[in-house]
Amino acid sequence: MHCWFFTSQVFKSLPGKALVGNSRNFHCIKPLLQSTRHRPLVETITTLRQNLIKSLGRDSVSDTEAIRKQHSRDEGVERHNHLADLVVWPKSTEECSIIASLCSEKKVPMIPFGTGTGLESGVCAAYGGVSVDMSKMDQIVNFNPEDFDVTVQPGVTRKGLNHFLKDHGLWFPVDPGADASLCGMTATSASGTNAVRYGTMRENVLNVEVVLADGRVLHTAGENRRSKKSSAGFNLTNLFVGSEGSLGFITKATLKIYGIPEMMLSAVCAFTTIKAAVDTCVQILQSNIPIARIELMDDVAMDMCNNHNKLDYKVAPTLFLEFHGSEDSVKSQAKFAGEIADYNGGSEFRWAYESEERNRLWKARHDIYWTTLQSNPGCRAIITDVCVPITRLPDLITQTKADIQESGIIGPCLGHVGDGNFHTFLVFNPNKPEEFKKAETLAARMTKRALDLNGTCTGEHGIGIGKMNYLEKEMGPVGIEMMKSIKKTLDPHWLMNPGKIFLSEY
Ligand SMILES: Cc1cc2c(cc1C)N(C[C@H](O)[C@H](O)[C@H](O)COP(=O)(O)OP(=O)(O)OC[C@H]1O[C@@H](n3cnc4c(N)ncnc43)[C@H](O)[C@@H]1O)c1[nH]c(=O)[nH]c(=O)c1N2
Ligand SMILES: CC(C)C(=O)C(=O)O
Ligand SMILES: [Mn+2]
């Protein structure tokens, strides 16, 4: 059956919290994609399984349904119900190479699996095949504190790395809300609240080791290279940042790391309009204040955030800010930013100095997706991720909010405003297809608007399945053709994560 569907799920990321829902609701919405591709034959999988067991050991290969299900979906809206045929756990680059060679020989799809926190169905097995769970390769393999770089295997998560770095007075700042794997973050070109100061994965990955579809091993900047800059030929590293498992397995990533700032100071400030909040952000950036975080939440998001976290912030468009540096520098940055906010009518300024208080504030911000779902029991949400030049943001958000209000759908708006990146969670009840349709229409309209404003359909979550049709519009035919010809060179049989990014094959 080729169909897209959505269903509510057990939230494994929220230990001890109530289930949002666990019913399976199948809604055939659209055909998968233009393709003549079929699932591998049962006999092919049986032989492949035997060969994989021979090479990796019985414990590293599974075909149980529960494990296949767990590996065939992520944290976003489910797009279809196809399961991987097998799940394997390589323990080394060499084993990853063997998996790729065996799958290539049998022409079986391969789907890299990090921690499954993606939001665009990147890990689902659109055509069956082998889900390759990278979590057992979990070593920090090279650490150079004085050069400010570290090399990690795919099982290392961002929180795990930061736990290790803390004792050395260092940290890695790229922070998607989830505790994602750093190689998964590389694969989706992730970012988060710190990007305005420290950049996204694109600016922070120096080199990656990749196992290609045929089993060859590539070092995108050359083996063991970790210089901060290079003019040596094409930038192959950036080709793999954002490749979403469609070009190969990332088996190592060399990352930039930073000193933990002497002082961090957070602030929350309410505004009467979205425009006043965004103007404040633009003026802070224009003034060259090296702000570390500047995040926007609208009135709807603030209301949910207050109720869920027992907070009492004003229900209004709100900026969350954070300043990093020496004590003197942080104080002067905060004073200057405070004056700018004042000038734009900002009020209810609240400061958080202690790390406990700051962590509480940022946890409330990071958890807003779960907060939205838990505030609407049994519901799911389409997550949008458009990003536009920052001056276009007030118009885009204001028009989007008007659309949401008119539709009757619940849709908090929030964003990494310093980067021009904003999200809505368009809430729908899976038992009401008309609500899903409304949410999809809203998402499509907003994305079209963002593209018309010279922006992108995805600032940080990637294309996966959810945004394939938008990529065509964003890149145009020559751009898509170029991407496909690169993929064809690296993956001539379209075996690496097929059914993602592109609406059709070569
Ligand atoms: C609550 C919450 C909040 C956020 C987010 C999620 C959730 C649940 N995210 C999205 C998510 O955390 C982000 O996309 C991660 O980079 C995904 O990393 P995983 O390791 O979970 O990859 P996951 O396993 O989900 O895979 C994602 C994609 O990468 C590929 N992949 C994974 N590991 C690979 C490897 N080793 N080699 C090759 N390909 C690989 C997969 O095939 C798939 O296509 C996010 N994101 C963001 O950018 N900013 C944000 O603010 C947030 N916030
Ligand atoms: C969409 C969500 C999960 C996100 O990216 C954020 O909170 O910034
Ligand atoms: Mn985000």
Side-chain angles (χ1 to χ4, degrees):
M1 179 178 66
H2 276 183
C3 71
W4 286 24
F5 76 100
F6 47 82
T7 174
S8 34
Q9 64 158 331
V10 175
F11 288 122
K12 53 185 184 278
S13 331
L14 274 182
K17 299 255 169 92
L19 302 188
V20 173
N22 57 9
S23 61
R24 292 189 80 79
N25 300 284
F26 294 81
H27 292 261
C28 287
I29 296 160
K30 341 187 152 155
L32 197 56
L33 81 166
Q34 299 151 29
S35 171
T36 50
R37 181 172 290 278
H38 297 289
R39 292 187 71 105
L41 298 173
V42 174
E43 308 85 88
T44 309
I45 294 297
T46 307
T47 318
L48 179 63
R49 178 174 170 271
Q50 284 159 358
N51 293 342
L52 286 165
I53 289 174
K54 247 186 246 157
S55 301
L56 312 179
R58 190 166 288 279
D59 287 351
S60 299
V61 182
S62 173
D63 60 359
T64 61
E65 196 182 346
I67 290 187
R68 288 159 55 216
K69 267 188 186 160
Q70 186 205 337
H71 284 80
S72 300
R73 64 146 310 151
D74 62 12
E75 300 286 11
V77 169
E78 261 182 320
R79 300 287 175 178
H80 63 73
N81 61 345
H82 296 214
L83 298 190
D85 297 294
L86 297 172
V87 178
V88 296
W89 288 265
K91 291 182 285 304
S92 64
T93 301
E94 293 68 33
E95 286 197 354
C96 212
S97 242
I98 292 171
I99 293 165
S101 307
L102 291 174
C103 287
S104 275
E105 192 187 302
K106 298 273 175 220
K107 305 279 181 293
V108 170
M110 299 165 252
I111 308 112
F113 184 95
T115 51
T117 69
L119 299 168
E120 296 299 340
S121 309
V123 294
C124 77
Y127 296 97
V130 180
S131 171
V132 182
D133 182 327
M134 311 295 284
S135 60
K136 289 202 176 150
M137 295 172 66
D138 61 354
Q139 298 302 303
I140 292 172
V141 286
N142 195 358
F143 173 46
N144 300 290
E146 286 165 11
D147 290 330
F148 297 94
D149 67 65
V150 67
T151 300
V152 296
Q153 287 189 319
V156 179
T157 66
R158 70 172 184 91
K159 286 189 182 168
L161 176 63
N162 276 325
H163 182 71
F164 167 81
L165 293 175
K166 201 173 171 198
D167 288 346
H168 302 270
L170 296 164
W171 72 311
F172 181 70
V174 184
D175 66 331
D179 188 19
S181 75
L182 291 151
C183 291
M185 286 165 57
T186 304
T188 58
S189 186
S191 51
T193 61
N194 288 305
V196 64
R197 164 96 177 248
Y198 299 94
T200 70
M201 289 307 279
R202 286 215 187 275
E203 291 79 37
N204 283 290
V205 181
L206 297 171
N207 198 353
V208 287
E209 179 188 86
V210 183
V211 169
L212 298 172
D214 60 7
R216 280 178 301 162
V217 179
L218 165 73
H219 296 91
T220 56
E223 193 164 3
N224 297 325
R225 314 272 154 228
R226 51 187 181 83
S227 59
K228 285 286 180 305
K229 52 192 258 194
S230 163
S231 293
F234 295 165
N235 189 336
L236 295 182
T237 304
N238 248 319
L239 179 60
F240 283 85
V241 177
S243 57
E244 299 187 45
S246 68
L247 299 179
F249 297 96
I250 299 173
T251 46
K252 274 180 204 151
T254 301
L255 308 168
K256 286 187 198 171
I257 49 181
Y258 299 79
I260 296 175
E262 180 190 321
M263 186 175 180
M264 297 189 185
L265 173 63
S266 305
V268 177
C269 176
F271 293 85
T272 46
T273 61
I274 295 275
K275 176 147 173 33
V278 178
D279 284 350
T280 302
C281 174
V282 172
Q283 289 160 21
I284 287 174
L285 296 175
Q286 274 172 345
S287 311
N288 221 358
I289 299 171
I291 192 135
R293 291 166 145 173
I294 182 157
E295 295 281 311
L296 174 73
M297 294 229 258
D298 76 350
D299 50 337
V300 182
M302 286 310 291
D303 197 27
M304 283 184 191
C305 186
N306 276 343
N307 291 335
H308 192 77
N309 298 292
K310 301 194 171 52
L311 297 168
D312 59 353
Y313 292 117
K314 188 169 176 187
V315 176
T318 299
L319 284 182
F320 287 53
L321 310 101
E322 192 166 89
F323 309 94
H324 294 175
S326 66
E327 192 173 337
D328 282 353
S329 150
V330 163
K331 282 185 177 156
S332 83
Q333 290 177 51
K335 184 169 175 293
F336 198 178
E339 284 164 11
I340 294 172
D342 250 4
Y343 172 79
N344 288 297
S347 65
E348 311 256 336
F349 242 95
R350 292 203 209 167
W351 300 94
Y353 295 89
E354 300 305 328
S355 67
E356 212 171 281
E357 208 182 334
R358 280 192 305 102
N359 290 344
R360 196 161 105 92
L361 192 149
W362 288 108
K363 187 172 178 337
R365 159 62 189 89
H366 271 320
D367 282 352
I368 186 70
Y369 175 49
W370 305 123
T371 301
T372 303
L373 294 180
Q374 293 189 344
S375 306
N376 296 281
C379 289
R380 304 288 291 136
I382 293 183
I383 301 168
T384 66
D385 179 34
V386 296
C387 186
V388 292
I390 189 168
T391 52
R392 309 291 176 102
L393 207 52
D395 278 353
L396 181 62
I397 301 182
T398 309
Q399 288 168 9
T400 300
K401 278 180 71 62
D403 273 0
I404 292 174
Q405 228 159 18
E406 199 189 332
S407 75
I409 290 261
I410 295 169
C413 295
L414 58 134
H416 313 294
V417 66
D419 306 317
N421 185 192
F422 99 99
H423 308 299
T424 52
F425 305 137
L426 302 169
V427 177
F428 63 90
N429 181 334
N431 298 312
K432 296 184 180 162
E434 69 286 2
E435 277 193 9
F436 178 75
K437 188 104 209 67
K438 267 190 198 171
E440 252 207 338
T441 306
L442 282 172
R445 194 176 308 153
M446 178 189 326
T447 308
K448 182 175 180 313
R449 244 183 225 136
L451 295 181
D452 290 345
L453 293 170
N454 311 111
T456 173
C457 65
T458 173
E460 55 179 20
H461 298 160
I463 299 293
I465 290 181
K467 299 196 168 86
M468 292 193 297
N469 54 343
Y470 300 136
L471 184 71
E472 300 252 322
K473 291 194 186 87
E474 181 166 331
M475 293 304 301
V478 179
I480 293 285
E481 211 178 286
M482 205 53 61
M483 286 189 183
K484 281 187 183 169
S485 63
I486 292 169
K487 180 162 166 68
K488 192 169 189 174
T489 304
L490 295 172
D491 178 21
H493 303 293
W494 200 274
L495 298 176
M496 287 306 310
N497 211 357
K500 317 292 165 61
I501 303 180
F502 304 107
L503 276 173
S504 62
E505 296 184 16
Y506 305 127

